[in-house]
Amino acid sequence: RLVGSSRLGRNLLTRPKFAVGLLVILAMAASENLWIGDLPADIDQDTVMQVFGAYGTVESCKVIPPKAPGTNAAAMVKYATVEQARWVLENLTGNVAEGLSDPIVVQFAKNPIGGWGKAWPKGG
């Protein structure tokens, strides 16, 4: 479910840089692991699980706090399947997820091989 009038197709037609960026993102290695940016600075793990659990089965997640005051948070989210992760990427990038108030950025994690490194939750 999407909130607001912004849709992927409209973004592709009206924002050429968005279209090129989306093609680069889709060309990256697909995996269950997503990096989600432009999240509220005060978001917590329970909220990430609730918001993104509405779009598929979230196996685990980790909030990445803002690097500096006034900047946004991010999260690493692992879905049960590549298909679920791909759906979230294709449908939520540049859109407002249910439960949030601003558009988000979604990418496949840059380190899908060998896990998440330090960002991956213990026991996940």
Side-chain angles (χ1 to χ4, degrees):
R1 298 177 302 189
L2 302 177
V3 176
S5 63
S6 180
R7 298 278 186 238
L8 179 61
R10 182 175 297 138
N11 284 334
L12 291 173
L13 294 173
T14 61
R15 296 170 48 196
K17 287 183 181 179
F18 178 85
V20 171
L22 184 59
L23 290 175
V24 169
I25 291 168
L26 293 175
M28 294 174 69
S31 75
E32 301 88 357
N33 305 322
L34 296 176
W35 176 89
I36 302 173
D38 288 346
L39 296 173
D42 61 347
I43 199 163
D44 59 30
Q45 188 164 330
D46 290 338
T47 304
V48 170
M49 290 290 285
Q50 179 181 3
V51 168
F52 296 102
Y55 301 102
T57 303
V58 174
E59 291 190 344
S60 57
C61 69
K62 177 169 177 57
V63 173
I64 303 166
K67 293 184 178 181
T71 62
N72 293 325
M76 303 293 274
V77 177
K78 182 176 184 178
Y79 278 94
T81 67
V82 172
E83 292 77 20
Q84 290 175 359
R86 183 182 309 278
W87 190 95
V88 169
L89 184 144
E90 291 174 356
N91 290 280
L92 293 185
T93 297
N95 292 307
V96 180
E98 186 79 30
L100 299 178
S101 57
D102 293 311
I104 58 172
V105 177
V106 183
Q107 299 177 3
F108 287 116
K110 292 182 180 177
N111 187 19
I113 298 172
W116 297 72
K118 293 179 182 177
W120 192 247
K122 299 266 187 237

